[in-house]
Amino acid sequence: MYNKIYQILDEKGRAKTGIFLDGPYMGKKCILKPETVIREENCGEAAEKKSGVQLIPEKTEDASIWDNYLNILSETKETKVTEADGHRLFVEDYRKNPRLVIFGGGHVSQPTAHLGKMLGFHVTIMDDREYFVTKERFPEADQLVYGDFKELDKYITPYDNTYYVILTRGHIGDADCLRRLLHRPYEYLGMIGSKNKVRITRENLLKEGYTLEQLDEVHAPIGIPLGGQLPEEIAVSIMAEIIKVKNQHYSAYCDEKVETAVLEGCHGVMVTIAEKSGSSPRGVGSKMFVEPSGHITGSIGGGKVEYEAINHCKEVKEKEVKHYALTADGQDSLGMICGGQVTVVFERV
């Protein structure tokens, strides 16, 4: 199932999974793949965007079970254990390879692109002036696109984990981009401009058939108000807002070394921290992959918990859930004095 998770992450940049930690469905798992559909019969300026998910159960016969928990899975916005009919359901929200797409190659775009690369984004710059999208102006950009903003769909592939920044040279270009981006999935959509320009743009798009709900999702004027005037200062305010949006929910850490081991066909046991309290070393969603040879990729924090988990992998048949107490005595105690508890999920891959 992890092959499918990593495949979806490469395609969409986002994925979500759910696995029951107890109760009659203990060990049952599913994937939620984000899906966005645009109604083709109304593909004019105000075409309708419908966002949803495709539910992929680990076992086909479990599909009807997961239908009952689709709302809970969809409404859980971060990696955590939540309650479902009195039982514990571990939801992992994965994010990978965030993309920053900047429309307009002007003076604010240059420091914004630089900060984006520094913060780990794949950066694309698009402008309708060829001499504004060059390696000299944007040496760190991953993709440079020259083309008409009205035809951006030809050049920019839809991708769920994308952060769009509209910084064109005028309100016409801004509106052209906004019309097309409102039809897409995105994590963030921001448009530069004065309050008056933003108001006029909103009024025009409302007349064209866009809804208040759609337009209220747009960050405009763009950025966290820091009082800056210089291009570099405006870029900081834009990226600060993007980072705030990006980190508003806690996502599972996608360890690329663990991913590589799975995609290369290695077999073993995936070990994941589902819950923690007190002084446990690593966060929820941390993963470790233990192969039969004893080779280990990733980590759930080292120390006694990791040692015990590695030893337990030899006994795992399919899926198991274990609780480790970081105390000196009591049930599941590891003979430690730091306090806290860790819930660990074991899955044979």
Side-chain angles (χ1 to χ4, degrees):
M1 199 170 200
Y2 276 95
N3 290 73
K4 184 66 175 178
I5 293 170
Y6 296 137
Q7 177 187 336
I8 294 170
L9 284 171
D10 279 338
E11 177 187 346
K12 299 283 190 176
R14 293 176 52 201
K16 189 183 288 185
T17 63
I19 182 171
F20 278 97
L21 301 182
D22 58 17
Y25 303 137
M26 187 270 177
K28 292 189 181 297
K29 187 170 185 174
C30 74
I31 303 173
L32 263 65
K33 177 183 179 182
E35 295 286 356
T36 301
V37 178
I38 300 173
R39 288 179 54 187
E40 295 296 336
E41 67 270 21
N42 183 27
C43 56
E45 299 292 33
E48 182 180 356
K49 178 182 74 174
K50 289 189 174 180
S51 297
V53 294
Q54 178 188 357
L55 196 151
I56 307 171
E58 185 171 26
K59 296 180 179 179
T60 306
E61 59 268 27
D62 292 337
S64 59
I65 293 173
W66 285 110
D67 285 342
N68 298 324
Y69 299 98
L70 182 57
N71 286 341
I72 293 175
L73 288 165
S74 299
E75 292 169 5
T76 303
K77 302 299 184 184
E78 60 185 15
T79 297
K80 67 176 185 178
V81 174
T82 189
E83 186 176 298
D85 291 339
H87 301 292
R88 295 185 306 143
L89 177 64
F90 178 40
V91 180
E92 287 188 88
D93 182 70
Y94 293 87
R95 305 293 170 104
K96 184 187 175 187
N97 300 333
R99 295 181 184 175
L100 176 67
V101 180
I102 302 171
F103 297 96
H107 58 289
V108 175
S109 298
Q110 288 177 297
T112 304
H114 172 70
L115 289 173
K117 282 303 297 180
M118 187 172 69
L119 292 166
F121 288 81
H122 176 285
V123 175
T124 296
I125 312 293
M126 181 178 179
D127 203 297
D128 57 0
R129 300 164 293 180
E130 189 171 11
Y131 55 90
F132 268 73
V133 280
T134 64
K135 270 296 179 184
E136 289 72 27
R137 290 181 60 79
F138 297 97
E140 298 173 291
D142 297 284
Q143 183 181 14
L144 296 170
V145 177
Y146 161 59
D148 190 330
F149 293 126
K150 291 180 180 179
E151 299 181 337
L152 69 84
D153 289 320
K154 291 183 180 179
Y155 308 105
I156 311 295
T157 303
Y159 183 78
D160 286 66
N161 195 17
T162 301
Y163 298 75
Y164 292 112
V165 175
I166 302 175
L167 304 174
T168 77
R169 67 183 182 277
H171 69 278
I172 294 176
D174 291 350
D176 285 339
C177 291
L178 191 57
R179 286 185 181 96
R180 284 145 189 87
L181 297 177
L182 284 170
H183 306 156
R184 291 172 168 236
Y186 56 80
E187 288 295 307
Y188 173 94
L189 173 54
M191 182 179 71
I192 201 168
S194 66
K195 290 183 179 180
N196 188 52
K197 189 193 87 167
V198 170
R199 178 183 59 79
I200 293 171
T201 302
R202 282 172 61 94
E203 289 174 354
N204 290 338
L205 291 179
L206 284 170
K207 291 176 184 176
E208 294 174 14
Y210 292 89
T211 67
L212 277 174
E213 183 181 11
Q214 285 178 299
L215 296 174
D216 284 344
E217 293 179 357
V218 181
H219 295 263
I222 198 170
I224 292 176
L226 301 176
Q229 300 296 321
L230 298 174
E232 294 80 5
E233 293 174 329
I234 296 171
V236 168
S237 74
I238 292 171
M239 291 310 301
E241 186 171 62
I242 286 176
I243 293 303
K244 182 179 179 181
V245 170
K246 180 175 177 286
N247 295 330
Q248 64 184 327
H249 301 297
Y250 179 74
S251 296
Y253 171 62
C254 189
D255 191 314
E256 292 188 2
K257 292 181 179 179
V258 172
E259 176 183 354
T260 299
V262 173
L263 293 178
E264 287 179 348
C266 296
H267 296 285
V269 176
M270 188 72 77
V271 184
T272 308
I273 294 180
E275 277 183 310
K276 57 165 282 186
S277 63
S279 301
S280 54
R282 291 202 70 185
V284 171
S286 297
K287 293 186 183 296
M288 173 177 68
F289 189 61
V290 182
E291 298 176 43
S293 65
H295 184 264
I296 298 167
T297 308
S299 173
I300 58 169
K304 192 67 181 283
V305 173
E306 184 164 296
Y307 173 78
E308 293 290 340
I310 292 170
N311 286 337
H312 184 69
C313 287
K314 303 168 188 174
E315 304 173 22
V316 175
K317 303 299 181 185
E318 186 176 353
K319 289 190 182 73
E320 286 189 34
V321 178
K322 282 186 70 66
H323 308 281
Y324 296 103
L326 309 181
T327 56
D329 52 29
Q331 187 177 7
D332 301 321
S333 170
L334 294 181
M336 303 171 70
I337 61 173
C338 51
Q341 181 169 306
V342 181
T343 299
V344 179
V345 177
F346 297 83
E347 302 171 84
R348 188 156 290 281
V349 177

